[in-house]
Amino acid sequence: IKLRQEYAQHPTDNEVSYYLAYRLGQADLSEEACRIMAAVVAREPQNARYWLGYARCTAPTGRSRETVDAYRRALSLDPKLAEAHSALGQIFGEAGLTTDALQEYEEAFKLDPNVEVNSELLANCLLNKGRFLDSWQRMSRSLEEKPIQDTAYLVLTQAGAKIGKFDDSEKMIMRRL
C-alpha cells in the first residue's frame, strides 16, 4: 500500500515505479506491472536494469516475443547479464529451440557459473542434443541439492540409460523413495 501511495505521488519516479512493478509481479498482477515498466523503459530506454525488469514482468503474461525483445534489449545495454541469458535459455528451451537454448545457457554460465537456471529444462536440452553425460551430471547435481523434483528423475534415468549409469540412477531414485 505504501508503494502505491508513493507511486501515486510520484508516477514518473522510475525507482518507485520499478519497485512497485516488482511487487505487483510477485502478487500475480503482471499486466499492471507491465504497464508500469513499459512507462519506465520509455522514460529511460538506456537502462539495462529497467529492461530486465520489464522482461520479468512480461514473461508470465505469455508475450514471448515481447519478453525476448526486452531481454535482448537489456543485453544490448549490458552484455554481462547472466540472468538474461539464462532466462532466454529457458524461453528457447520451452519453445523447443534446443540449440538456441544451449547457447544462451552456456553464455550465462561463462558470465556467472552460479547463475540460476531451470536445471531440468537444461538437462532435457542436453539430452535432446545427445549430450547424455552432461545431461546426467546436470540432473545429478540438481537432485543432490533439491531431491524433491519428481519429473527430474525421468530425465536422469533417460540420460543414465544412454551412458550406462543404471546403478547410479537407481541409487538416486531409491534415495528419493
Side-chain angles (χ1 to χ4, degrees):
I1 294 177
K2 194 170 192 160
L3 263 176
R4 280 195 185 272
Q5 291 170 343
E6 187 74 20
Y7 176 73
Q9 293 172 354
H10 307 284
T12 59
D13 183 319
N14 287 341
E15 284 299 300
V16 170
S17 299
Y18 176 85
Y19 287 109
L20 177 59
Y22 176 78
R23 291 287 185 205
L24 292 170
Q26 287 180 319
D28 289 330
L29 297 170
S30 297
E31 290 298 333
E32 186 178 356
C34 287
R35 184 182 51 74
I36 291 169
M37 283 309 299
V40 170
V41 295
R43 287 190 297 268
E44 200 168 330
Q46 298 305 313
N47 187 310
R49 184 170 144 258
Y50 292 157
W51 280 103
L52 194 60
Y54 183 59
R56 284 189 206 117
C57 289
T58 60
T61 67
R63 297 190 305 238
S64 299
R65 181 84 249 145
E66 195 173 339
T67 303
V68 168
D69 289 346
Y71 279 123
R72 285 192 171 145
R73 182 68 185 267
L75 285 167
S76 74
L77 297 167
D78 184 356
K80 295 184 191 279
L81 290 172
E83 177 189 341
H85 285 291
S86 176
L88 286 170
Q90 180 165 339
I91 292 167
F92 295 150
E94 288 173 348
L97 303 170
T98 304
T99 300
D100 294 330
L102 289 175
Q103 287 174 342
E104 293 296 342
Y105 280 132
E106 286 168 7
E107 187 60 32
F109 286 124
K110 276 189 234 171
L111 295 168
D112 179 0
N114 299 312
V115 67
E116 190 173 317
V117 298
N118 180 328
S119 290
E120 186 177 342
L121 182 60
L122 172 55
N124 256 321
C125 289
L126 293 165
L127 186 68
N128 292 337
K129 280 297 187 182
R131 293 173 56 185
F132 307 123
L133 181 59
D134 292 337
S135 176
W136 191 85
Q137 289 172 336
R138 167 60 56 186
M139 281 315 337
S140 295
R141 280 193 305 273
S142 179
L143 289 167
E144 287 289 336
E145 294 170 11
K146 188 175 151 192
I148 310 294
Q149 302 179 61
D150 292 336
T151 58
Y153 288 94
L154 177 61
V155 179
L156 179 80
T157 55
Q158 288 175 327
K162 296 287 188 183
I163 59 173
K165 290 202 173 270
F166 300 106
D167 291 341
D168 292 335
S169 297
E170 182 181 24
K171 285 178 193 170
M172 292 191 82
I173 292 168
M174 293 308 288
R175 194 175 56 221
R176 166 67 173 96
L177 301 174

